[in-house]
Amino acid sequence: MDEIIHLAEVGDVRGAVKKAGEIENPVKRLKTLVAVVEISRREDVLPPMLDALDEITSTPEKIVAMSLLGRALYLLDRDKEAEKAFESAIQMADSLRSPKVKAEVFAAIAQNLALSDRYSDSYKYFRLAVEQLQFSRALYSEVILALIKIARLIEKTGDETPTERALDFYRLARELYTSIRFTLQVEVLEEKMKLVEDVLKRKSAAIVDLINMGDIERAMKMTRFLPPREKAFSLLEISYWLFLHEYRGLGRSVLEDALNTILVGKFKPDDSELESVGRRFLRIGLLEEALTITGIIQDEKRASGLLGDIAISYARRGEINRALSIAEGIQDEEIRISILEELKSGET
């Protein structure tokens, strides 16, 4: 699947779909194609998804596949068709006789509803899944295994939910773990809930605390609860930490996420904060990264001042042509003339 995802990420959607077609199991093929749609948002992935759906003969698998199709249709902004696909999946699930099978199918539908941003409906069907297990006549050991599977799915859904609704999923998962005396998982969930509540209350200040502790993985995960502006600047802080600790590849990836959040966000970034971050990148020798940040600073004076310092830094590295090119692009005339004179005098 990694190869298929890579093909989709580099824009070779046709190659990704062709490679996915080699997956023999139609359910696995459908899941892979949904991942391709998530990356590409391409309508031409839909026909092979429908072909995979037609190949599925097992009713429970068909129901889960229908909810996967619904999720893909939401990704393609075909909301009415998506709703119909989920409605069909739910109606088919209601007709299942085995409470245990119905529970597992409802849980799968619930996960796909959550991934389609339908959190209230997702929670509802997770609840129904748990209720179905209470009526199951299956062996106790089988019911316990089903409960564990569903609890983990609910917890995972909480991990992927970018709103305070994550707490509802965590509470439900905790309820299930408590009922089967999984003490360690209960403690883990309570720690997650505590952290989410802290981030919802203190916002980026809580993220900064995690960064200062070096807990970057959790800091990254918790940014999903922040408003776009605070998320962008928290990602910049995380990116800086990663570069500082020599995780350059990941640092660049997080920096791109931060800049994309700023560029598509409906908020005006704080130029003083951007300049501050840019200068921090500059101080540790990350000139290209500092230059990238300068490109989104709207205040001409601040952007020009930072560009001037970047140009001087390139000159000190011996890259005089690069320094001159940057200096000539400085908008503030006074700063531009001053930096060009300094560069041409050779006194950097």
Side-chain angles (χ1 to χ4, degrees), residues 186-196 218:
V186 170
E187 290 175 359
V188 169
L189 271 171
E190 288 178 345
E191 182 64 27
K192 284 184 180 181
M193 290 166 63
K194 183 180 177 182
L195 182 56
V196 171
R218 283 207 292 178

Side-chain angles (χ1 to χ4, degrees), residues 46-77:
L46 196 54
M49 289 182 66
L50 295 172
D51 291 340
L53 182 65
D54 288 340
E55 291 178 36
I56 299 169
T57 56
S58 162
T59 300
E61 288 186 340
K62 191 92 167 180
I63 296 168
V64 174
M66 188 68 73
S67 71
L68 282 166
L69 177 63
R71 180 183 159 203
L73 288 165
Y74 271 124
L75 290 168
L76 294 170
D77 294 323

Side-chain angles (χ1 to χ4, degrees), residues 70-141:
R71 180 183 159 203
L73 288 165
Y74 271 124
L75 290 168
L76 294 170
D77 294 323
R78 297 169 70 159
D79 291 6
K80 288 185 178 179
E81 293 170 78
E83 287 168 14
K84 287 181 180 178
F86 273 113
E87 285 170 9
S88 296
I90 291 164
Q91 287 172 5
M92 291 170 68
D94 275 330
S95 68
L96 293 171
R97 291 187 176 183
S98 166
K100 177 178 172 292
V101 174
K102 186 181 288 190
E104 292 174 343
V105 169
F106 271 148
I109 292 171
Q111 184 187 35
N112 284 316
L113 282 166
L115 291 169
S116 303
D117 298 338
R118 291 177 58 178
Y119 301 112
S120 294
D121 289 330
S122 172
Y123 184 81
K124 172 185 174 181
Y125 285 100
F126 271 131
R127 270 284 180 198
L128 284 173
V130 175
E131 289 171 8
Q132 286 298 316
L133 285 178
Q134 294 172 349
F135 300 111
S136 177
R137 294 181 179 178
L139 293 172
Y140 178 74
S141 59

Side-chain angles (χ1 to χ4, degrees), residues 20-236:
E22 298 173 9
I23 300 172
E24 189 172 342
N25 185 305
V27 178
K28 290 182 179 178
R29 192 190 322 146
L30 189 58
K31 286 181 178 178
T32 304
L33 289 168
V34 172
V36 173
V37 171
E38 192 167 13
I39 294 166
S40 68
R41 300 297 202 272
R42 287 269 294 270
E43 293 268 350
D44 51 351
V45 185
L46 196 54
M49 289 182 66
L50 295 172
D51 291 340
L53 182 65
D54 288 340
E55 291 178 36
I56 299 169
T57 56
S58 162
T59 300
E61 288 186 340
K62 191 92 167 180
I63 296 168
V64 174
M66 188 68 73
S67 71
L68 282 166
L69 177 63
R71 180 183 159 203
L73 288 165
Y74 271 124
L75 290 168
L76 294 170
D77 294 323
R78 297 169 70 159
D79 291 6
K80 288 185 178 179
E81 293 170 78
E83 287 168 14
K84 287 181 180 178
F86 273 113
E87 285 170 9
S88 296
I90 291 164
Q91 287 172 5
M92 291 170 68
D94 275 330
S95 68
L96 293 171
R97 291 187 176 183
S98 166
K100 177 178 172 292
V101 174
K102 186 181 288 190
E104 292 174 343
V105 169
F106 271 148
I109 292 171
Q111 184 187 35
N112 284 316
L113 282 166
L115 291 169
S116 303
D117 298 338
R118 291 177 58 178
Y119 301 112
S120 294
D121 289 330
S122 172
Y123 184 81
K124 172 185 174 181
Y125 285 100
F126 271 131
R127 270 284 180 198
L128 284 173
V130 175
E131 289 171 8
Q132 286 298 316
L133 285 178
Q134 294 172 349
F135 300 111
S136 177
R137 294 181 179 178
L139 293 172
Y140 178 74
S141 59
E142 291 180 1
V143 172
I144 292 297
L145 287 174
L147 274 171
I148 294 169
K149 180 180 177 182
I150 291 171
R152 286 174 177 165
L153 202 57
I154 295 168
E155 181 181 357
K156 184 181 178 185
T157 300
D159 292 341
E160 294 169 341
T161 300
T163 72
E164 62 184 48
R165 290 306 301 266
L167 291 170
D168 293 331
F169 293 114
Y170 287 150
R171 290 186 188 105
L172 181 56
R174 181 181 62 180
E175 181 182 317
L176 296 187
Y177 285 135
T178 300
S179 71
I180 54 178
R181 299 180 182 178
F182 270 40
T183 308
L184 181 60
Q185 282 82 355
V186 170
E187 290 175 359
V188 169
L189 271 171
E190 288 178 345
E191 182 64 27
K192 284 184 180 181
M193 290 166 63
K194 183 180 177 182
L195 182 56
V196 171
E197 287 167 349
D198 188 39
V199 173
L200 289 170
K201 181 180 179 181
R202 298 173 56 231
K203 297 187 168 53
S204 58
I207 305 296
V208 170
D209 285 348
L210 289 171
I211 295 170
N212 290 337
M213 290 188 291
D215 196 346
I216 299 304
E217 184 177 352
R218 283 207 292 178
M220 278 289 297
K221 288 179 179 178
M222 291 299 107
T223 60
R224 73 186 192 273
F225 295 107
L226 298 178
R229 181 185 175 281
E230 295 205 36
K231 179 180 180 179
F233 285 102
S234 292
L235 289 172
L236 286 173

